[in-house]
């Protein structure tokens, strides 16, 4: 059995790692011209299901390394004013496992062959039931199953389920990161909380590595190469409707322009951010709609259930997809069910919990962006 995976994000790579560990051939095709073509390195929180899923997709020999590059998350989720005074609470405290996306992605890339500059243009299901994927700049690839793990703008979804389209919530935010130094020790109560003022919300999250990733890999898994990265604060400012910065402002300047009179440590945090890794993003979601006819093509992660980042469940749900599909395909490979039944089993479960994940994330969005479009 051979699987083609379109998209080298966390979900697609976790699936490929899990299949490789089970002796199933998996080819990964990525539209970007190179693995490092785009910065993909912000902190994220995995729930227990998501963390266990990625753990199960990785070789057991890498589990000690994985444990050494993540941290436990615990936040009170306060609402603070621009001077860091508590003015309310978002709800119950949040827990989970914090991981750096870029570091985790490099771990998942280890020992995989990823075909870059492979933008998918379409696919054909052949008479023998196999599927042939077509690419803009490389020859076609034939496999038993094509998995669209190619994100919100999924080219695979565009063919498989063209009626399923992304919904723009109208919310824009600027995101960046700043090295975590002793200067910002006084901001600790703001990590995991919302700072609100002047029509915007600023969200902070700390990424502290038990051992620096590059050093941890050298000590625990020399065949793995991880980025040389230190502790940092991930910050994100959610802008008001029509609040996108003008073209003459950098992402940092756009944030600072809305922080007049804010606490000096907050302003310093933005001023000292890495300018190359600060960017404006939009919040778009994909709601799973009507299921397509079963066949040798399926979807995974944001391609079928993109969530709002305020839900904190997008990466966990994609990794849950990867682990579930891995398990179903192993059953097919071992002859316990046929391939199409395995894919149907995966899709039936994925549609249910994926829709719940999108719904949950949208329910939490108004707390940060009251005028967001939710339907």
């Amino acid at each position: 059995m051979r699987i083609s995976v379109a998209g080298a994000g966390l979900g697609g790579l976790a699936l490929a790692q899990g299949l490789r560990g089970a002796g199933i051939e998996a080819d990964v095709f990525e539209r970007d011209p190179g693995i490092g073509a785009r910065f993909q390195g912000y902190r994220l929180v995995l729930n227990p299901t998501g963390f266990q899923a990625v753990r199960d997709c990785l070789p057991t020999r890498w589990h000690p390394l994985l444990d050494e590059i993540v941290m436990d998350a615990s936040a009170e989720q306060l609402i603070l004013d621009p001077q860091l005074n508590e003015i309310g609470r978002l709800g119950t405290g949040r827990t989970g496992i914090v991981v750096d996306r870029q570091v985790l992605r490099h771990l998942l890339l280890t020992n995989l062959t990823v075909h870059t500059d492979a933008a998918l243009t379409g696919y054909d299901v052949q008479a023998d039931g196999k599927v042939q994927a077509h690419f803009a700049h490389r020859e076609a690839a034939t496999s038993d199953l094509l998995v669209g793990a190619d994100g919100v703008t999924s080219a695979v979804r565009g063919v498989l389920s063209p009626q399923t389209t992304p919904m723009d919530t109208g919310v824009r935010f600027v995101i960046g990161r700043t090295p975590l130094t002793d200067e910002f020790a006084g901001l600790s109560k703001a990590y995991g909380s919302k700072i609100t003022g002047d029509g915007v919300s600023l969200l902070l999250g700390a990424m502290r590595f038990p051992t620096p990733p590059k050093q941890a890999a050298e000590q625990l898994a020399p065949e793995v190469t991880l980025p040389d990265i230190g502790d940092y604060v991930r910050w994100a400012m959610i802008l008001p409707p029509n609040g996108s910065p003008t073209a003459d402002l950098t992402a940092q300047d756009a944030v600072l322009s809305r922080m007049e009179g804010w606490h000096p440590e907050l302003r310093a945090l933005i001023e000292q951010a890495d300018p190359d890794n600060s960017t404006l993003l939009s919040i778009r979601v994909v709601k799973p709609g009507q299921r397509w006819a079963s066949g040798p093509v399926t979807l995974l992660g944001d391609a079928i259930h993109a969530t709002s980042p305020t839900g904190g469940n997008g990466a966990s749900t994609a990794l849950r997809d990867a682990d579930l599909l891995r398990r179903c395909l192993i059953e097919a490979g071992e002859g316990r069910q046929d391939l199409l039944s395995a894919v149907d089993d995966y899709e039936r479960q994925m549609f249910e919990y994926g829709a719940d994940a999108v719904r949950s994330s949208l329910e939490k969005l108004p707390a940060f962006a009251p005028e967001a479009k939710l339907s």
Side-chain angles (χ1 to χ4, degrees):
M1 183 165 56
R2 192 178 197 96
I3 311 300
S4 291
V5 180
L10 297 184
L13 293 175
L15 173 63
Q17 278 287 355
L19 294 177
R20 183 178 183 275
I24 297 174
E25 293 186 88
D27 300 302
V28 181
F29 300 91
E30 168 57 45
R31 68 169 74 102
D32 285 347
I35 287 300
R38 290 183 293 124
F39 175 74
Q40 300 188 32
Y42 296 111
R43 164 194 189 272
L44 55 85
V45 180
L46 299 179
N47 60 33
T49 299
F51 184 65
Q52 188 61 49
V54 73
R55 193 178 184 85
D56 289 346
C57 287
L58 287 170
T60 55
R61 67 182 182 277
W62 293 347
H63 288 180
L65 173 57
L66 178 65
D67 292 339
E68 199 60 30
I69 58 175
V70 301
M71 59 177 277
D72 291 330
S74 180
E76 292 187 80
Q77 291 197 298
L78 306 174
I79 302 175
L80 307 174
D81 69 15
Q83 300 304 320
L84 300 177
N85 300 305
E86 181 179 341
I87 57 175
R89 290 181 176 265
L90 283 169
T92 56
R94 183 182 176 196
T95 59
I97 301 294
V98 179
V99 63
D100 177 81
R101 181 186 291 272
Q102 184 183 23
V103 171
L104 179 58
R105 187 168 184 254
H106 274 75
L107 177 58
L108 290 168
L109 281 163
T110 304
N111 294 335
L112 293 181
T113 298
V114 178
H115 307 281
T116 55
D117 199 20
L120 187 138
T121 58
Y123 64 81
D124 299 307
V125 177
Q126 301 178 323
D128 61 359
K130 294 183 182 296
V131 59
Q132 187 176 65
H134 303 282
F135 305 93
H137 303 298
R138 59 168 291 118
E139 62 186 21
T142 302
S143 59
D144 297 285
L145 177 69
L146 170 63
V147 181
D150 47 347
V152 175
T153 59
S154 171
V156 178
R157 187 192 64 236
V159 180
L160 179 63
S161 182
Q163 73 278 10
T164 305
T165 57
M167 181 190 78
D168 191 340
T169 65
V171 179
R172 304 290 181 266
F173 66 103
V174 180
I175 189 168
R177 70 181 190 184
T178 304
L180 180 52
T181 63
D182 291 342
E183 179 181 356
F184 303 120
L187 295 178
S188 58
K189 74 174 182 180
Y191 301 147
S193 298
K194 178 180 80 167
I195 305 160
T196 183
D198 191 28
V200 298
S201 296
L202 181 66
L203 312 177
L204 308 182
M207 181 72 242
R208 297 186 181 92
F209 299 102
T211 301
K214 185 175 185 294
Q215 178 182 331
E218 291 170 348
Q219 294 173 349
L220 298 172
E223 73 275 23
V224 178
T225 301
L226 296 183
D228 188 7
I229 181 177
D231 298 347
Y232 66 87
V233 178
R234 188 271 299 134
W235 51 264
M237 177 172 279
I238 298 179
L239 303 172
N242 303 316
S244 297
T246 57
D248 60 332
L249 283 180
T250 66
Q252 279 174 279
D253 288 341
V255 173
L256 288 168
S257 70
R258 297 181 176 277
M259 296 178 65
E260 291 295 330
W262 284 43
H263 194 287
E265 284 188 24
L266 292 173
R267 289 188 56 85
L269 184 75
I270 308 303
E271 290 168 349
Q272 296 179 33
D274 179 354
D276 294 331
N277 297 329
S278 303
T279 188
L280 174 72
L281 297 173
S282 60
I283 295 182
R284 293 178 292 170
V285 301
V286 176
K287 298 180 179 180
Q290 183 177 357
R291 279 188 57 186
W292 48 82
S294 293
V297 183
T298 193
L299 299 173
L300 178 156
D302 284 357
I304 184 58
H305 48 60
T307 65
S308 164
T310 52
N313 57 5
S316 292
T317 310
L319 292 169
R320 181 178 180 180
D321 289 351
D323 186 43
L324 173 60
L325 184 54
R326 172 188 73 90
R327 294 173 187 272
C328 291
L329 292 178
I330 288 173
E331 287 192 1
E334 294 175 347
R336 286 181 278 162
Q337 61 176 325
D338 62 64
L339 176 61
L340 294 187
S341 295
V343 174
D344 181 74
D345 189 24
Y346 159 72
E347 290 176 349
R348 177 177 49 79
Q349 298 180 62
M350 177 271 289
F351 260 71
E352 182 175 353
Y353 67 70
D356 287 343
V358 177
R359 187 181 310 112
S360 173
S361 75
L362 287 175
E363 287 173 351
K364 295 174 182 177
L365 183 56
F368 301 92
E371 298 184 41
K373 294 187 294 183
L374 303 184
S375 60

